[in-house]
Amino acid sequence: MTINEKIESDKIVLEVEGKVDRLTTQQLQDAILLALQKMRQLEIDFGGVNYISSAGLRALLMGQKTAQSKQGRMYLTKVTEPVKEIFNITGFSSFLEIQ
Amino acid sequence: MKKRGLDLKLSLMIVIFTGVLSIILTVASMVEHSNKVDEYYGENASKLALSFANMTDGDFIRELRELVDEPEFQAIREKALETNDWTPMENLLEERGLLEEYNEETDMLKSFKKDMDVEYLYIHSIEGDISVYLMSATEGMSALGLIGANAEEFAEYTTNMHIDPTVSDMDGIWVCSAYEPIYDSNNEAVSTVGVDIDMNQVMADRNHFRNRMAIYCIIFVLMAALCGIYVIRKLVVKPIESLTDGAKDFTDEESGYCSESVLNLDIHSHDEIETLYTEMRTMQEKILDYLDNITKITAEKEKISAELNVATEIQASMLPRIFPAFPNRDEIKLFASMAPALEVGGDFYDYFFIDYYHLALVIADVSGKGVPAALFMAISKTLIKDRAQDCLDPATILSNTNNHLAEANDANLFVTVWLGILDLRNGELKYSDAGHEYPILARQNGEIELVKPINKKMPVAAIEGVQYVTNTMQLNVGDTIFLYTDGVPEATNASDELYGMERLEEFMKTHYSLDVEELLPAVRKNVDEFVGDAPQFDDLTMLALRIVSFAEEKGEKTDGE
């Protein structure tokens, strides 16, 4: 999994690519929390992700909670079908902001 | 490679060094001494020659020299040589009035030679290639007129003059020769006095001295080498050997890190060896400390590992494992199994009767692995069962549990739960799905469907205040419901492929009719075959329930357990 961070004027965009599993989750979690420290608005580009494990979901949960506690915003874009399915099964689609 | 001792190497160096040194010193001192002695003898010889030259009457010598050139003299001399009768020569000298002075001069030569201990004493005229002999202390009359060829180095002397003394080997006899001119009354050099001093004794002394020096040198070199060996052995080799032995003892597998090996050596040489010893001691102490620590850590790890084993047992014992689950209830057949990926996993299942007719089924998966997940699982399982004791609505049970767990969840763990409550009287299944996998329902006729709720909600404990929703569906006699965790569809083989829902559904289609006790092991086997040698990352947890018949209404309800 690779994460590419782009800083724009009003938000940070994290372009994630690969498998978000138990081996790579910590990396994603660190990237999300660091980005939210820098800016209140965070966009996560999930276009290159086709699998996310429950540990990965936990990283997104922490990110969403952190964004809310800071009156910020975290949202996902370009979510692929398999990942959308996982979000649906786990009920995360009712909690995460997915565009 | 052949090993050579340090002492041998260094003593070889000492031998070479002292040997060369003593050879140089001996040769230098001998050359110096020889030169001095030669100079001394040369000076002496020159002085003797000079004093004799001064005593000699130059005019007489000139006349003698002129006489030799006369043909008459040469004829007489040749005859005298043949007959060995020197009287005609004497007569000729008498005739010329030279005999008296000749005899006086000869006596003087003889006594001078004797008094001064000179080997040869003679008067001759050096004339380039030749020398014309006039008188000799040893040869007598035969010397008069003798013409001898000169050595090459004498060729430059065409007139009589002072010649620097030389030391030379004259047919086995070492002599020091000096030559001084004799002047006549006109101050003309008419001839030369030659003095040869015997140097044989000096040369013998010199050889003797050289031989003695050679012996002294050998003795000196040997002693230096022995001293060198002794000193090097004592100062360097021995301490290094004891350090080596100590180090060997220390690392020897049999004696096993013998703590006394290096520590107990007694080296106080105040040099590099002592520094080396000190460093080795420190190293040994540190290694021993380190070993001590490792031992402690290992013991600690073993303790933790033992505790983990106990934790695994506790976790396993938290799940109902005795089958048939309800021997007194013929209406249902139920089987469940769990195979954790790590020692302690986060999956769990549960089943219990809330009352005589209502059977609760739970399958859940805590996010994360290991001890934290297991602890969270224990709390979740307990809470769900506790909340279900007086409640028949799955949504309410999950909402209560969620609020309780989400309240203080700093670790942000969550648990996907599928909770169903089956009314055994009519097959009505009320269920609530908190982010869990869709259970598979296998109808009696082999139809397979996924149990998809209308409202899918977040896993329990993720966020506070989730209102879970209860869905209802109808089960009939012969229907089987199969619950599982994501470890089943997400089992991965070596080429990174997922087992997947399609394979699972396909398998259920063909194997749904197996007894539940056989169905779960069969799924497990199928998954294992798919995975092959790839390691198992996730827990494999499954539960299957089949309705055999509906329960009949009883007048009095009793607890099923």
Side-chain angles (χ1 to χ4, degrees):
Chain A
M1 186 193 72
T2 55
I3 298 174
N4 185 24
E5 189 189 73
K6 283 202 299 195
I7 300 179
E8 293 179 7
S9 58
D10 56 338
K11 65 184 175 191
I12 289 181
V13 179
L14 293 180
E15 291 175 348
V16 189
E17 201 164 334
K19 255 171 101 168
V20 184
D21 56 21
R22 62 185 191 99
L23 299 173
T24 55
T25 290
Q26 192 62 44
Q27 194 189 341
L28 176 65
Q29 185 174 317
D30 293 347
I32 289 174
L33 295 182
L34 194 71
L36 285 169
Q37 269 175 20
K38 290 187 209 162
M39 237 177 250
R40 294 221 310 238
Q41 182 144 297
L42 172 65
E43 177 186 321
I44 303 176
D45 181 341
F46 247 46
V49 180
N50 44 32
Y51 175 77
I52 182 164
S53 73
S54 63
L57 294 175
R58 200 168 128 219
L60 293 180
L61 173 68
M62 283 179 86
Q64 181 76 337
K65 279 186 177 176
T66 308
Q68 279 172 358
S69 71
K70 292 189 173 182
Q71 274 93 45
R73 180 176 168 223
M74 180 186 104
Y75 60 96
L76 285 81
T77 56
K78 301 177 195 162
V79 180
T80 59
E81 275 312 312
V83 173
K84 208 172 261 176
E85 180 66 15
I86 293 171
F87 286 154
N88 285 337
I89 291 176
T90 52
F92 268 73
S93 34
S94 65
F95 174 64
L96 296 172
E97 187 180 339
I98 298 169
Q99 288 189 342
Chain B
M1 204 178 75
K2 200 184 161 198
K3 260 172 122 180
R4 287 191 194 87
L6 209 54
D7 45 355
L8 206 69
K9 280 184 194 162
L10 285 172
S11 50
L12 202 67
M13 277 173 60
I14 291 175
V15 166
I16 292 171
F17 177 72
T18 52
V20 168
L21 187 70
S22 35
I23 287 169
I24 290 173
L25 281 177
T26 308
V27 169
S29 62
M30 275 185 70
V31 168
E32 182 77 2
H33 183 252
S34 302
N35 287 344
K36 283 278 172 213
V37 170
D38 290 355
E39 202 178 301
Y40 171 74
Y41 271 77
E43 262 173 37
N44 267 352
S46 289
K47 275 179 192 163
L48 289 176
L50 190 60
S51 62
F52 195 81
N54 289 339
M55 288 194 302
T56 306
D57 177 4
D59 292 334
F60 161 70
I61 293 299
R62 179 166 45 80
E63 283 175 47
L64 215 52
R65 172 71 190 86
E66 282 164 5
L67 176 68
V68 169
D69 282 345
E70 287 178 25
E72 188 191 356
F73 171 82
Q74 285 299 334
I76 291 170
R77 185 177 183 272
E78 269 167 39
K79 202 168 183 190
L81 268 174
E82 276 170 31
T83 56
N84 203 24
D85 178 11
W86 300 96
T87 322
M89 294 256 306
E90 280 174 20
N91 291 340
L92 183 64
L93 289 173
E94 179 78 66
E95 196 182 300
R96 299 292 170 94
L98 296 170
L99 183 62
E100 196 185 339
E101 199 164 359
Y102 177 81
N103 285 337
E104 277 173 21
E105 195 71 32
T106 305
D107 290 344
M108 213 164 75
L109 271 172
K110 282 181 177 166
S111 60
F112 194 87
K113 172 191 177 307
K114 195 175 158 227
D115 294 346
M116 296 301 165
D117 195 18
V118 171
E119 189 70 21
Y120 299 108
L121 181 61
Y122 45 91
I123 298 170
H124 64 336
S125 176
I126 298 172
E127 298 165 7
D129 295 344
I130 56 159
S131 286
V132 178
Y133 286 83
L134 300 176
M135 300 188 80
S136 165
T138 44
E139 304 297 319
M141 192 67 88
S142 68
L144 180 58
L146 176 73
I147 296 169
N150 275 339
E152 265 178 45
E153 60 262 36
F154 269 51
E156 59 180 293
Y157 303 115
T158 51
T159 55
N160 293 296
M161 60 170 82
H162 163 83
I163 299 174
D164 281 335
T166 56
V167 174
S168 59
D169 184 0
M170 257 168 72
D171 304 325
I173 302 168
W174 283 93
V175 289
C176 176
S177 313
Y179 306 92
E180 292 295 343
I182 300 169
Y183 297 97
D184 65 3
S185 50
N186 296 328
N187 209 20
E188 192 180 322
V190 288
S191 207
T192 306
V193 175
V195 172
D196 293 344
I197 299 175
D198 183 0
M199 292 271 289
N200 267 359
Q201 191 56 44
V202 175
M203 284 299 170
D205 283 352
R206 198 170 285 172
N207 284 344
H208 183 64
F209 170 76
R210 189 188 59 208
N211 294 344
R212 242 188 352 219
M213 279 302 283
I215 291 169
Y216 289 156
C217 282
I218 290 168
I219 292 172
F220 167 67
V221 166
L222 283 178
M223 278 178 65
L226 286 175
C227 284
I229 289 176
Y230 176 75
V231 170
I232 291 160
R233 282 203 69 79
K234 193 172 160 56
L235 289 185
V236 181
V237 177
K238 284 275 176 197
I240 287 183
E241 275 176 356
S242 58
L243 278 176
T244 310
D245 288 346
K248 258 189 206 154
D249 271 1
F250 186 62
T251 53
D252 186 38
E253 273 179 29
E254 280 175 27
S255 59
Y257 303 114
C258 170
S259 58
E260 274 116 46
S261 54
V262 179
L263 291 179
N264 277 14
L265 295 177
D266 194 23
I267 297 176
H268 299 289
S269 48
H270 304 292
D271 56 15
E272 290 88 343
I273 303 269
E274 192 182 341
T275 316
L276 176 65
Y277 164 63
T278 317
E279 289 305 319
M280 278 183 70
R281 244 179 90 124
T282 315
M283 192 170 76
Q284 186 180 344
E285 278 164 0
K286 284 193 173 161
I287 288 176
L288 287 174
D289 277 358
Y290 181 68
L291 278 176
D292 220 33
N293 277 340
I294 292 263
T295 314
K296 275 184 199 153
I297 290 169
T298 312
E300 199 71 18
K301 271 195 171 169
E302 274 169 11
K303 200 175 139 204
I304 290 172
S305 166
E307 282 173 357
L308 267 180
N309 284 341
V310 175
T312 312
E313 278 171 34
I314 291 174
Q315 191 193 24
S317 68
M318 284 186 73
L319 304 183
R321 279 181 301 173
I322 299 162
F323 300 102
F326 306 107
N328 300 329
R329 302 300 293 259
D330 301 332
E331 304 95 318
I332 49 159
K333 279 190 174 165
L334 190 152
F335 190 72
S337 70
M338 181 177 93
L342 298 171
E343 282 87 353
V344 282
D347 280 10
F348 69 92
Y349 62 80
D350 203 1
Y351 48 81
F352 49 89
F353 275 98
I354 296 169
D355 56 36
Y356 188 79
Y357 302 111
H358 291 95
L359 175 66
L361 300 174
V362 185
I363 189 139
D365 181 4
V366 177
S367 64
K369 298 272 176 294
V371 175
L375 284 173
F376 206 77
M377 163 242 163
I379 301 167
S380 316
K381 180 177 174 292
T382 312
L383 273 176
I384 290 170
K385 190 165 181 177
D386 180 64
R387 296 290 185 269
Q389 287 313 306
D390 47 5
C391 178
L392 291 175
D393 179 39
T396 312
I397 296 168
L398 288 189
S399 298
N400 282 341
T401 308
N402 180 58
N403 288 341
H404 197 109
L405 284 175
E407 207 171 49
N409 181 16
D410 293 337
N412 277 306
L413 285 168
F414 55 81
V415 52
T416 68
V417 183
W418 188 93
L419 169 62
I421 295 173
L422 177 68
D423 188 339
L424 286 183
R425 289 170 299 193
N426 51 25
E428 185 190 66
L429 178 65
K430 289 184 173 172
Y431 68 92
S432 187
D433 188 339
H436 200 79
E437 315 295 312
Y438 302 124
I440 295 175
L441 179 63
R443 296 290 183 188
Q444 193 194 13
N445 59 9
E447 258 177 55
I448 300 291
E449 55 188 271
L450 291 180
V451 181
K452 290 192 179 179
I454 304 157
N455 277 304
K456 193 83 179 189
K457 293 288 182 184
M458 283 287 281
V460 171
I463 41 176
E464 270 183 89
V466 178
Q467 286 302 314
Y468 291 93
V469 179
T470 295
N471 295 269
T472 307
M473 66 181 298
Q474 183 62 44
L475 295 190
N476 298 311
V477 171
D479 290 353
T480 307
I481 186 160
F482 176 71
L483 310 178
Y484 56 92
T485 55
D486 59 1
V488 179
E490 288 177 9
T492 310
N493 68 6
S495 34
D496 222 19
E497 286 175 303
L498 295 179
Y499 179 72
M501 283 308 294
E502 280 176 24
R503 277 195 191 79
L504 184 57
E505 285 178 55
E506 202 56 41
F507 188 82
M508 291 307 287
K509 250 179 214 166
T510 47
H511 292 80
Y512 74 97
S513 57
L514 286 174
D515 280 345
V516 288
E517 289 89 350
E518 291 165 20
L519 181 63
L520 298 196
V523 175
R524 174 72 203 259
K525 193 164 162 256
N526 195 248
V527 171
D528 282 349
E529 277 167 10
F530 173 79
V531 168
D533 292 333
Q536 183 195 346
F537 282 126
D538 214 345
D539 304 351
L540 280 185
T541 306
M542 299 175 279
L543 186 153
L545 170 93
R546 180 169 299 155
I547 297 175
V548 178
S549 62
F550 289 139
E552 284 172 24
E553 285 276 4
K554 273 190 173 184
E556 200 180 308
K557 287 179 187 174
T558 53
D559 200 338
E561 281 178 277

